[in-house]
């Protein structure tokens, strides 16, 4: 199976500040791939590089086997949807209008939304349980509600790959579960997902493969149960962490108690 996105020996960062190097990874259709690591380890900068928002400092990026340098912004948008970390919204758009922005890749910047576009946008809001917010001013929504709107925008974009930068970070427990379940459903439908998180338990429950990041590099990469271990987590986070199994068989990360 060919990769939806692939990075080979990637170096990334900014002109004045290199962030990471020697990063290689790939994501295929139907896979949930997690970047796990503490705040400041380079996850967001890596995502921006994979999306072509900042140029790589070395190595190669291919999207559906095409070098990213050969793709326009519209080409990339048709192949990858992006969910950034919760951000402020400067203009009082309705939530539905924000979600409709995800349809621009399919119709062009200056074309008005079609009936199909509106149906896709409303369906995305409903999937996340926020259909009732469709006409609400996004500047008046909570941070968690705005994050769900951004996720709905990515769903409406209908790209084969979705990149999510800490999609549950600003959500309460109930909404975290809604998002994690939607990620599972999307993967079952064949969508590739690459997400970042600093929550080991989310990586264990949501991802089939995990790249454990530390200071801009990858400490370990492989199946989630093999990578997200007590020893690896204790090294990355600098505290003693244990992996325990719940009565239902779910693995969770907890502070180690001596």
């Amino acid at each position: 199976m060919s990769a939806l996105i692939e990075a080979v020996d990637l170096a990334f960062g900014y002109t004045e500040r290199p962030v990471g190097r020697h990063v290689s990874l790939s994501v295929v259709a139907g896979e949930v791939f997690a970047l796990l690591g503490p705040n400041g380890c380079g996850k967001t900068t890596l995502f921006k590089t994979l999306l072509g928002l900042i140029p790589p400092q070395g190595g190669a990026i291919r999207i559906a086997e095409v070098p990213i340098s050969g793709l326009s912004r519209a080409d990339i948008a048709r192949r990858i949807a992006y969910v950034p970390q919760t951000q402020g919204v400067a203009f009082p758009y309705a939530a539905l209008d924000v979600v409709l922005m995800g349809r621009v890749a399919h119709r062009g910047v200056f074309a008005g939304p079609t009936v199909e576009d509106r149906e896709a946008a409303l369906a995305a809001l409903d999937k996340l349980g926020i259909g009732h917010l469709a006409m609400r001013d996004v500047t008046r929504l909570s941070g968690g509600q705005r994050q769900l709107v951004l996720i709905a925008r990515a769903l409406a974009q209908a790209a084969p790959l979705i990149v999510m930068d800490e999609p549950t970070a600003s959500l309460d427990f109930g909404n975290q579960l809604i998002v994690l379940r939607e990620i599972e459903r999307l993967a079952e439908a064949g969508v590739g997902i690459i997400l970042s998180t600093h929550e080991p338990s989310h990586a264990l429950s949501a991802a089939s493969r995990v790249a454990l990041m530390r200071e801009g590099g990858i400490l370990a990469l492989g199946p989630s149960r093999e990578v997200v271990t007590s020893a690896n987590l204790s090294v990355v986070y600098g505290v003693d962490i244990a992996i325990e199994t719940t009565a239902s068989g779910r693995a969770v990360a907890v502070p180690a108690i001596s």
Side-chain angles (χ1 to χ4, degrees):
M1 183 182 297
S2 60
L4 296 172
I5 192 167
E6 181 181 23
V8 180
D9 198 26
L10 188 66
F12 58 96
Y14 305 92
T15 302
E16 71 285 359
R17 182 173 63 88
V19 174
R21 62 188 186 278
H22 304 312
V23 168
S24 296
L25 56 85
S26 64
V27 181
V28 300
E31 177 180 27
V32 180
F33 183 97
L35 294 177
L36 172 64
N39 292 334
C41 73
K43 299 188 298 294
T44 296
T45 306
L46 174 56
F47 274 170
K48 289 181 178 179
T49 307
L50 293 174
L51 290 160
L53 300 176
I54 58 177
Q57 296 181 332
I61 301 170
R62 289 186 287 269
I63 298 175
E65 300 187 331
V66 179
I68 194 170
S69 58
L71 296 171
S72 67
R73 291 307 314 165
D75 289 333
I76 295 172
R78 283 188 287 271
R79 291 165 170 81
I80 308 176
Y82 178 42
V83 181
Q85 294 184 31
T86 300
Q87 57 189 30
V89 180
F91 301 100
Y93 293 113
L96 177 61
D97 291 332
V98 173
V99 178
L100 280 168
M101 293 176 189
R103 302 295 300 170
V104 170
H106 299 280
R107 57 178 169 81
V109 175
F110 300 107
T114 64
V115 172
E116 181 183 1
D117 292 333
R118 292 183 65 85
E119 289 176 349
L122 289 168
L125 288 165
D126 285 339
K127 284 178 183 177
L128 296 171
I130 53 171
H132 62 289
L133 300 178
M135 303 313 298
R136 289 275 299 275
D137 176 349
V138 290
T139 65
R140 297 180 179 275
L141 299 180
S142 69
Q145 289 171 330
R146 284 197 299 272
Q147 184 69 359
L148 289 172
V149 170
L150 294 178
I151 295 171
R153 181 180 67 184
L155 298 184
Q157 195 168 330
L161 175 66
I162 302 178
V163 172
M164 298 182 168
D165 193 357
E166 298 194 8
T168 62
S170 62
L171 302 180
D172 62 34
F173 186 69
N175 283 324
Q176 286 180 22
L177 293 180
I178 289 173
V179 170
L180 292 173
R181 287 170 183 162
E182 182 61 20
I183 288 171
E184 181 180 7
R185 189 197 68 79
L186 287 165
E188 290 174 349
V191 177
I193 307 285
I194 178 170
L195 63 89
S196 66
T197 181
H198 54 256
E199 293 282 354
S201 295
H202 287 180
L204 281 166
S205 64
S208 52
R209 285 195 304 144
V210 174
L212 188 59
M213 291 192 67
R214 181 189 186 196
E215 297 177 352
I218 293 180
L219 177 69
L221 189 157
S224 57
R225 292 289 185 109
E226 295 179 11
V227 170
V228 186
T229 64
S230 298
N232 283 342
L233 293 178
S234 297
V235 168
V236 166
Y237 290 95
V239 294
D240 291 333
I241 298 175
I243 301 296
E244 297 184 355
T245 303
T246 67
S248 63
R250 181 169 176 256
V252 295
V254 298
I257 300 175
S258 57

